[in-house]
Amino acid sequence: MTVREEGTRVCKHCGTPIKGSSYIEKEAGLYLGPECYFRDTYLDGIVSGFESSYLATIEAFVRAVDAREHETGNHLFRVSRLAIILGHALGVEGQELADLYAGAILHDLGKIGVPDAILLKKGPLTPEEQQVMHGHPGIGRGIIGHIGYLAKAAEIVWSHHERFDGGGYPRGLKGGDIAWGARIFSVADALDALTVKRPYHDALSFEEAKQEIVKESGTMFDPAVVKTLESVSEEIKDFIGETPES
């Protein structure tokens, strides 16, 4: 991503004049910043996949999760961007890309049903508490699975903690039995988790996080998605650890 200082230019996405400030130069044009570039490059197709009222419903769900646990809300926005970039590189488009976006941004919706004493606990969870926490994918699916336009997204929500080798939860699905969108999402989710500082670990650099994910190719993650992560490194690393502007 090239950033330059120059005279007046106009952002390709929002049309705002760029006067002597930093801007991002891409093959498609000039942008005020990463958010304008992302929206112009990736979100246009997603927005066309949902009616405005549907998007309002999705955003309401996100705000509900954010009200319970603010960092979770930030994570939802970050990881949805990473998932969309990976999905786009894998040839996902149209309604399927919209479904990936909805599933990614709603993946932790089920945490609404987890008691505060467990969800907000500072220390390690007991085995019993872990069992309760492991129920959140099913809770999330239960909330949106009956909404027709979110049916495919609900499969991602339900499957986002499955592992490629079958060692995940809640159903122990393996390989191709896991929804394609969930296999894409799991790599994006891990990338965000590794590159953002948490109480129990420091943030890794993008390259360090990528290597950790590569180590789990074929076990935790779909090798095809991991390979794609390596191929879009230059594109995706600009969005690591950044929360989109509201």
Side-chain angles (χ1 to χ4, degrees):
M1 189 173 285
T2 303
V3 178
R4 294 181 178 177
E5 297 285 341
E6 206 167 303
T8 302
R9 296 289 189 275
V10 177
C11 177
K12 182 177 183 292
H13 173 69
C14 66
T16 301
I18 304 171
K19 298 181 179 179
S21 62
S22 296
Y23 63 84
I24 294 170
E25 182 178 357
K26 287 286 189 176
E27 185 175 340
L30 307 179
Y31 300 90
L32 277 177
E35 187 65 13
C36 281
Y37 169 66
F38 179 79
R39 289 177 179 274
D40 187 65
T41 306
Y42 299 104
L43 286 191
D44 283 350
I46 293 170
V47 171
S48 66
F50 290 116
E51 294 184 9
S52 59
S53 60
Y54 296 172
L55 286 172
T57 301
I58 292 170
E59 290 168 0
F61 281 136
V62 173
R63 286 194 294 271
V65 176
D66 190 47
R68 290 288 310 283
E69 187 183 21
H70 182 62
E71 173 51 31
T72 295
N74 290 336
H75 166 67
L76 298 178
F77 284 108
R78 288 194 306 266
V79 77
S80 64
R81 292 202 305 191
L82 301 179
I84 290 306
I85 294 171
L86 281 172
H88 188 270
L90 284 159
V92 179
E93 57 186 15
Q95 186 59 50
E96 190 178 7
L97 192 65
D99 294 334
L100 176 59
Y101 173 77
I105 206 166
L106 295 176
H107 75 276
D108 271 342
L109 179 62
K111 287 185 175 180
I112 289 175
V114 177
D116 283 350
I118 296 175
L119 182 65
L120 304 178
K121 186 176 180 179
K122 299 299 183 182
L125 300 180
T126 67
E128 293 76 16
E129 290 169 336
Q130 288 179 348
Q131 192 66 29
V132 173
M133 184 64 83
H134 285 184
H136 82 268
I139 295 172
R141 175 180 179 263
I143 293 172
I144 64 172
H146 66 288
I147 303 174
Y149 68 90
L150 291 177
K152 295 291 182 64
E155 286 300 310
I156 296 173
V157 171
W158 196 17
S159 304
H160 75 274
H161 278 295
E162 302 288 356
R163 291 171 50 111
F164 195 72
D165 63 2
Y169 66 87
R171 292 175 290 168
L173 299 180
K174 182 178 182 180
D177 290 335
I178 304 169
W180 177 224
R183 283 178 273 152
I184 296 171
F185 169 80
S186 66
V187 172
D189 191 36
L191 185 60
D192 183 69
L194 290 169
T195 54
V196 174
K197 185 176 181 179
R198 300 290 177 87
Y200 43 87
H201 72 73
D202 290 330
L204 299 182
S205 69
F206 172 72
E207 290 299 328
E208 289 170 334
K210 185 173 70 172
Q211 288 310 309
E212 290 299 314
I213 291 171
V214 169
K215 290 177 185 177
E216 296 290 344
S217 178
T219 52
M220 184 175 291
F221 308 116
D222 186 328
V225 182
V226 174
K227 184 177 180 180
T228 297
L229 171 62
E230 295 184 278
S231 72
V232 297
S233 291
E234 290 303 311
E235 174 78 354
I236 209 167
K237 70 180 182 182
D238 293 309
F239 297 95
I240 295 299
E242 291 189 1
T243 299
E245 301 168 4
S246 58

